[in-house]
Amino acid sequence: MRYSVYNNITYTATHKNAKAFNGIYAIARARPLITNRPFHSGSKKEKPRPFFTRLRDSLRKTEIKWYPIPVSLGVALLVVQQARHAYNRQQLESDPPQPVVRGAWQVHVANALPLRAISRLLGRLNNDYDLPVFMRKPVYKLYAWIFGCNMDEVKDDLKSYRNLGAFFYRELKPGVRTIDEKSILVSPSDGRVLAFGHIIDGRISQVKGSTYLLDALIGNSSSPTSPSEVLSSFPPPITITDEKEFASLNGITYSLEALIGEDKDSAKKHVAEKKSELVPAITTKSPKTNGLFFCVLYLAPGDYHRFHSPNNWVVEKRRHFAGELYSVSPYMARILPDLFVLNERVALLGRWRYGFFSMVAVGATNVGSIKINFDPALRTNSKEDVNIGTYVEVSYENASKLLKGLLLRKGDEIGGFCFGSTIVLVFEAPREFKFCVESGQKINYGMAIGSV
């Protein structure tokens, strides 16, 4: 028996067949060639090779041709997958029903994109990978030129910022911002005033002709997904004497029960009334004399990204709402109703001298995270697919036994964004409260927002 190899086919013939066809081998059997076996003249059968060895050799010798997949097909697959996730989330039953995405065609295009995944990816690129030192100045100057950053206010040398994330979260030079001590309420951040005014029938104005529910923004119409956690670790505590002075000077109320064990006659002088608890629908401390107000500030990518306390107040709890990460630019605010309710956000809730006070930091596209300095457990823009509108609550009551919350003074740094975003202030104040800003006005942190 002989073997002849031609075009990966083995031909087998006998000597008799070979003579019959004048030296031309007749095909007796054909099979794919797995390997070139050596010629054996003996009658002993060759031991078969292991299957995986033959498979490996076959794969190595097989020619592979790659065909490009159209980019449009990949984009279409991502759009279909994201649309399916969005549809499934909206079909989940919730109490009360959560807002749904509606608006112009641009809104539905944005809704089809995996904005959360894109934001996580950009967050990692901006924060986990350092730029070479020689590239830092030109890259940051280019960014400043594109987005209008004021480089004269940057505290440190540009080469000291290891990556874009560090530059986004930069500090300011001392003295470039001043706190208006005469005003009862100042801007918590640099930015632009999008909207402000009275809250009527429990609705906040997003833009002219478009409103959203206050209860949906801060979660007072629903319950947290898990029992409230009580945070136990805070910055160095203020002494009980300072807490009393802080409460007395700023009109912050506390309960008599908080002072059991001390001089009750002295304590009664500080007690105006028992602190009001948040109820499903927020009611004012004094309905006849007080009202609810709001102010929305937009932080552009070129702005200073940290935010500060707008007044002297006590933060009682934090609520982290799961949500989308749509752009919060003024254009998107005009075409997407309920934008600030749909997006991921962190709400700080508490009280000040006139009653209820809250500060809501709203996430946006490309925002890697929202940071709260005194709450390191907070993790935003996480990979888990959670239901839109649900939230996790953390209590700060252990920060002060007397005031049952964390004391913040006007101008204290609270946290920041890793890119541009939005802050919504919701607060109770006397009905004669007057705003001293205009819609569209550029404002810096520490500037007055309003007065009584």
Side-chain angles (χ1 to χ4, degrees):
M1 182 178 291
R2 298 183 180 181
Y3 295 88
S4 177
V5 180
Y6 180 74
N7 290 336
N8 292 338
I9 302 298
T10 300
Y11 301 90
T12 307
T14 64
H15 290 288
K16 182 179 180 180
N17 289 336
K19 292 179 180 179
F21 289 97
N22 298 321
I24 301 175
Y25 295 129
I27 301 174
R29 183 163 52 94
R31 63 183 178 183
L33 177 63
I34 295 179
T35 181
N36 293 329
R37 303 182 187 180
F39 176 78
H40 295 282
S41 59
S43 61
K44 185 178 179 180
K45 292 185 179 181
E46 183 180 359
K47 185 179 179 179
R49 302 177 67 192
F51 171 77
F52 288 104
T53 302
R54 289 180 286 136
L55 179 63
R56 182 190 64 219
D57 293 343
S58 179
L59 290 175
R60 286 179 177 177
K61 295 180 179 181
T62 301
E63 183 181 358
I64 300 176
K65 290 185 178 181
W66 295 94
Y67 296 93
I69 298 176
V71 176
S72 57
L73 180 61
V75 173
L77 179 61
L78 290 175
V79 169
V80 171
Q81 184 178 10
Q82 180 66 13
R84 181 174 61 85
H85 286 318
Y87 176 79
N88 290 338
R89 286 196 297 265
Q90 292 178 6
Q91 293 303 308
L92 294 174
E93 295 183 358
S94 58
D95 185 21
Q98 296 298 325
V100 296
V101 177
R102 63 187 191 279
W105 65 268
Q106 295 94 330
V107 171
H108 296 283
V109 170
N111 186 48
L113 298 175
L115 297 178
R116 293 180 59 85
I118 292 173
S119 299
R120 282 194 299 270
L121 175 61
L122 292 178
R124 292 194 61 181
L125 292 176
N126 290 336
N127 292 279
D128 295 348
Y129 297 95
D130 295 348
L131 290 173
V133 176
F134 73 92
M135 291 183 60
R136 293 177 185 178
K137 273 193 174 182
V139 168
Y140 300 152
K141 285 184 178 180
L142 176 63
Y143 177 89
W145 177 75
I146 294 174
F147 293 106
C149 302
N150 188 347
M151 302 300 286
D152 295 332
E153 297 177 346
V154 178
K155 179 181 179 181
D156 301 315
D157 182 75
L158 293 182
K159 291 184 178 180
S160 66
Y161 299 106
R162 298 181 296 106
N163 47 49
L164 281 171
F167 181 70
F168 296 155
Y169 207 67
R170 63 191 178 274
E171 293 184 74
L172 297 176
K173 289 180 179 178
V176 298
R177 297 286 185 274
T178 57
I179 308 298
D180 191 334
E181 298 295 344
K182 296 181 179 180
S183 177
I184 62 169
L185 186 66
V186 300
S187 174
S189 67
D190 289 8
R192 191 172 300 278
V193 180
L194 288 187
F196 61 90
H198 289 266
I199 297 177
I200 301 175
D201 296 330
R203 303 192 69 89
I204 301 176
S205 175
Q206 181 169 299
V207 292
K208 188 175 181 180
S210 176
T211 62
Y212 54 93
L213 284 172
L214 168 62
D215 286 345
L217 178 71
I218 62 176
N220 272 15
S221 56
S222 58
S223 301
T225 55
S226 59
S228 297
E229 178 185 352
V230 180
L231 200 64
S232 57
S233 178
F234 293 96
I238 303 174
T239 64
I240 190 70
T241 303
D242 288 340
E243 290 177 356
K244 288 182 181 179
E245 182 181 2
F246 181 88
S248 178
L249 292 176
N250 296 288
I252 306 294
T253 61
Y254 53 87
S255 65
L256 181 62
E257 288 81 355
L259 292 176
I260 292 178
E262 298 191 4
D263 183 0
K264 295 183 179 180
D265 293 335
S266 176
K268 290 179 181 179
K269 297 179 181 179
H270 294 277
V271 179
E273 60 180 346
K274 199 175 182 70
K275 71 174 185 178
S276 58
E277 297 292 339
L278 294 178
V279 293
I282 293 178
T283 57
T284 57
K285 180 178 176 181
S286 303
K288 295 183 179 180
T289 59
N290 285 4
L292 288 174
F293 299 82
F294 75 96
C295 183
V296 183
L297 303 174
Y298 168 67
L299 287 74
D303 288 328
Y304 169 65
H305 296 106
R306 304 192 182 203
F307 48 81
H308 301 249
S309 176
N311 54 37
N312 300 323
W313 62 305
V314 176
V315 185
E316 297 175 339
K317 59 187 70 178
R318 175 263 290 172
R319 289 176 177 172
H320 174 211
F321 293 81
E324 300 291 353
L325 287 176
Y326 299 111
S327 168
V328 292
S329 65
Y331 172 75
M332 186 61 74
R334 289 194 299 270
I335 66 174
L336 176 56
D338 298 314
L339 171 60
F340 302 136
V341 174
L342 290 167
N343 269 16
E344 183 175 19
R345 59 199 181 277
V346 175
L348 299 178
L349 310 176
R351 65 193 192 280
W352 69 323
R353 65 168 60 242
Y354 298 116
F356 173 77
F357 193 92
S358 70
M359 182 174 174
V360 183
V362 183
T365 307
N366 300 336
V367 176
S369 63
I370 302 172
K371 296 181 180 180
I372 302 296
N373 295 346
F374 47 82
D375 195 345
L378 175 65
R379 293 289 183 272
T380 60
N381 196 12
S382 60
K383 195 174 182 179
E384 291 79 10
D385 190 13
V386 292
N387 300 340
I388 294 177
T390 61
Y391 67 89
V392 176
E393 184 177 274
V394 172
S395 172
Y396 298 148
E397 64 182 48
N398 284 346
S400 169
K401 293 182 179 179
L402 176 65
L403 299 177
K404 301 299 181 182
L406 185 68
L407 281 62
L408 291 178
R409 294 184 173 88
K410 186 191 301 182
D412 287 348
E413 183 181 313
I414 295 178
F417 300 102
C418 290
F419 211 66
S421 197
T422 296
I423 290 178
V424 181
L425 298 178
V426 177
F427 54 95
E428 181 182 351
R431 296 190 180 277
E432 57 269 22
F433 177 87
K434 299 294 182 182
F435 286 97
C436 56
V437 293
E438 297 180 358
S439 182
Q441 175 184 337
K442 185 73 173 67
I443 194 170
N444 292 330
Y445 107 77
M447 296 176 60
I449 288 181
S451 60
V452 176

